[in-house]
Amino acid sequence: MPASADVVFDAFHYHQWRARWDSLVSATHVVGGAPCPYKGAVTENAGAGMLRSLSMRTQFVSYDRPHVAAAAMVGQAFPFTQWAASMRHRATGSQASVLVYTYTFEVGPAALRWLLGPLVALVFAGQTRRRFTRLQNFLELHAEEVRLWQQRDTVAPNHGAGAGVA
């Protein structure tokens, strides 16, 4: 990514930035109103584009800014019966970093898994590539804007329940 790990992390997780680039969700928020997730936070995410009907609730099981965040789906959201993902960020220079996104899911109903599984895997992989290309393009133009916002608003390193910017 064309920005430091902390800039990339915040551009992804702070909803005010994410709304400007994320092609996979049309709306996302933390239940309770925090500006970004934190460990234990539940988020609600509404799909966008051809996946507009997909809405998912997730709970963050890890949130260690700017290194790692991981979440798992709460309940089910057709076609997913299980879904989890993690993002790891590693600096590769003062203004460059690597983002490693790992996900796993299961689809249902079980009787149709043989058919739905490969199709959903193909669509999700394509949408994930598109999504992170959009994040990269956003950062090429706006990384400095995010960095200045971080300095101005004194972004807290790890948020607690209901915490936001200090």
Side-chain angles (χ1 to χ4, degrees):
M1 289 289 165
S4 63
D6 65 320
V7 167
V8 176
F9 192 95
D10 288 348
F12 188 93
H13 291 289
Y14 272 83
H15 300 305
Q16 71 187 61
W17 299 110
R18 190 171 171 190
R20 292 177 56 184
W21 64 265
D22 197 340
S23 60
L24 199 54
V25 295
S26 62
T28 184
H29 71 274
V30 176
V31 174
C36 68
Y38 50 87
K39 185 176 180 181
V42 173
T43 62
E44 294 179 340
N45 310 280
M50 67 184 237
L51 300 176
R52 184 168 280 296
S53 63
L54 178 64
S55 293
M56 183 183 296
R57 288 174 61 98
T58 59
Q59 182 166 30
F60 278 75
V61 296
S62 177
Y63 193 87
D64 180 19
R65 180 188 179 274
H67 308 290
V68 66
M73 183 174 68
V74 176
Q76 294 186 2
F78 182 81
F80 299 109
T81 56
Q82 294 180 26
W83 179 93
S86 69
M87 295 175 65
R88 296 192 178 276
H89 300 264
R90 182 175 45 85
T92 58
S94 65
Q95 296 304 311
S97 60
V98 172
L99 183 157
V100 177
Y101 181 67
T102 306
Y103 61 87
T104 183
F105 61 80
E106 185 174 273
V107 297
L112 296 177
R113 194 166 289 143
W114 65 272
L115 176 64
L116 288 176
L119 178 62
V120 171
L122 183 68
V123 170
F124 194 74
Q127 290 297 317
T128 298
R129 280 190 299 277
R130 177 175 178 240
R131 180 183 201 199
F132 287 111
T133 296
R134 287 178 56 104
L135 174 58
Q136 182 176 355
N137 293 340
F138 173 81
L139 290 167
E140 286 172 357
L141 297 173
H142 302 286
E144 182 65 9
E145 185 180 348
V146 176
R147 190 186 67 73
L148 291 172
W149 165 81
Q150 288 172 321
Q151 290 176 341
R152 184 183 66 242
D153 290 345
T154 316
V155 177
N158 283 299
H159 303 282
V165 283

